[in-house]
């Protein structure tokens, strides 16, 4: 069975600090996808990034960067120079394709990030 | 571009009353559709998914049911709500060329 662990329940940082959100996953599949979502106070989950299991290149998008390491089954998310607008709950997720073509997605329990001005 | 709608945005219902939450997707055809529930301060629990009209699969047996009467419409229902049905209900869709799920704005349900 798949499992996603986000050990950090809540993190508080002061604005402009860098912060890394940890994600560790378990799967027996060789082909899988990893995701990060942001859930601001409004509640809607916003998709941030997808990474497939064959692509271990790190990615940077503005102040966001992701570090995927298959050797440690981790997919960590770093926010550089954090801003108050980054305050949200962040979810890491893992998907596998099931019979019938649907994606079974396992979500972590989320990390609540509070950026203090 | 694709958009996903949910309504109502908030709902307060008494125990024992019926429920109908609606989700519609625009700008895509034959999406896979999903219903999730998020209890306060917790993660997401998959309730139902659908790969086509009339095709519903349940992940967790419970007081709820789902239907897909049209290609881009997904409905979550209950005949009699329980207190434990309170939560934040999210609808999501995926296409057939990428794997990420896109979520609607959610419905916040309070059962009193």
């Amino acid at each position: 069975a798949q499992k996603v662990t986000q050990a950090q329940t809540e993190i508080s940082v002061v604005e402009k600090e860098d912060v890394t959100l940890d994600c560790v996953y378990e799967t027996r599949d060789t082909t899988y996808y990893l995701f990060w979502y942001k859930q601001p106070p409004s509640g809607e989950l916003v998709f941030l990034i997808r990474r497939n299991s064959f692509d271990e290149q790190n990615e940077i998008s503005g102040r966001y960067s992701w570090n995927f390491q298959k050797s440690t089954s981790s997919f960590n998310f770093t926010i550089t120079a954090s801003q108050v607008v980054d305050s949200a709950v962040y979810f890491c997720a893992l998907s596998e394709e099931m019979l019938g073509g649907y994606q079974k997605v396992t979500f972590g329990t989320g990390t609540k990030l509070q950026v203090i001005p | 571009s694709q958009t996903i709608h949910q309504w109502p945005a908030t709902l307060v219902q008494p125990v024992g009353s019926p429920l109908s939450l609606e989700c519609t997707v625009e700008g895509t055809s034959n999406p896979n559709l999903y219903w999730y529930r998020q209890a306060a301060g917790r993660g997401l629990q998959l309730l139902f998914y659908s790969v086509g009209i009339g095709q519903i699969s349940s992940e967790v047996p419970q007081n709820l049911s789902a239907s897909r009467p049209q290609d881009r419409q997904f409905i979550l229902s209950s005949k009699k709500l329980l207190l434990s049905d309170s939560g934040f209900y999210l609808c999501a869709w995926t296409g057939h060329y990428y794997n990420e799920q896109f979520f609607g704005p959610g419905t916040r349900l309070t059962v009193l």
Side-chain angles (χ1 to χ4, degrees):
Chain A
Q2 297 187 128
K3 186 177 180 182
V4 177
T5 301
Q6 293 181 256
Q8 303 151 307
T9 305
E10 291 192 36
I11 301 175
S12 290
V13 298
V14 176
E15 199 170 22
K16 297 185 183 176
E17 286 184 346
D18 299 347
V19 58
T20 295
L21 309 182
D22 298 332
C23 174
V24 175
Y25 64 92
E26 295 176 27
T27 181
R28 294 182 179 179
D29 291 344
T30 55
T31 302
Y32 53 88
Y33 294 83
L34 294 161
F35 312 91
W36 275 96
Y37 288 86
K38 174 182 180 181
Q39 187 177 38
S42 62
E44 182 174 351
L45 267 79
V46 178
F47 165 72
L48 296 178
I49 190 172
R50 171 193 59 196
R51 178 62 81 229
N52 75 52
S53 52
F54 299 108
D55 181 4
E56 286 194 73
Q57 275 195 330
N58 293 329
E59 182 155 339
I60 298 174
S61 176
R63 296 184 297 107
Y64 294 173
S65 62
W66 291 269
N67 184 351
F68 175 30
Q69 291 195 349
K70 286 180 75 171
S71 61
T72 55
S73 297
S74 64
F75 186 42
N76 297 336
F77 174 27
T78 297
I79 301 175
T80 304
S82 60
Q83 299 177 2
V84 173
V85 293
D86 296 327
S87 297
V89 179
Y90 291 85
F91 289 95
C92 181
L94 167 68
S95 82
E96 60 176 340
E97 185 163 333
M98 308 296 287
L99 289 175
Y102 99 97
Q103 292 289 325
K104 181 181 173 80
V105 181
T106 301
F107 285 85
T109 50
T111 296
K112 184 176 182 179
L113 173 65
Q114 183 178 17
V115 180
I116 303 166
Chain B
S1 64
Q2 300 87 5
T3 55
I4 178 168
H5 305 278
Q6 284 186 248
W7 62 90
T10 60
L11 192 59
V12 180
Q13 292 285 93
V15 169
S17 63
L19 173 74
S20 181
L21 303 182
E22 190 164 342
C23 169
T24 59
V25 181
E26 295 177 356
T28 188
S29 59
N30 197 28
N32 292 339
L33 296 170
Y34 307 81
W35 278 112
Y36 289 88
R37 177 170 59 201
Q38 185 178 29
R42 303 185 68 178
L44 283 82
Q45 178 188 34
L46 177 64
L47 302 175
F48 300 95
Y49 67 91
S50 171
V51 299
I53 295 174
Q55 300 179 62
I56 308 294
S57 295
S58 173
E59 281 289 305
V60 182
Q62 54 206 315
N63 184 41
L64 302 170
S65 62
S67 62
R68 185 169 177 175
Q70 300 180 43
D71 181 45
R72 288 169 287 179
Q73 184 184 32
F74 204 21
I75 297 172
L76 183 69
S77 304
S78 174
K79 292 182 179 177
K80 288 186 177 182
L81 284 168
L82 306 172
L83 286 174
S84 57
D85 291 324
S86 293
F88 189 51
Y89 288 82
L90 288 155
C91 181
W93 72 276
T94 57
H96 298 281
Y97 300 105
Y98 33 76
N99 306 84
E100 55 270 27
Q101 295 185 353
F102 297 96
F103 286 82
T107 295
R108 204 166 296 279
L109 171 66
T110 303
V111 182
L112 300 174

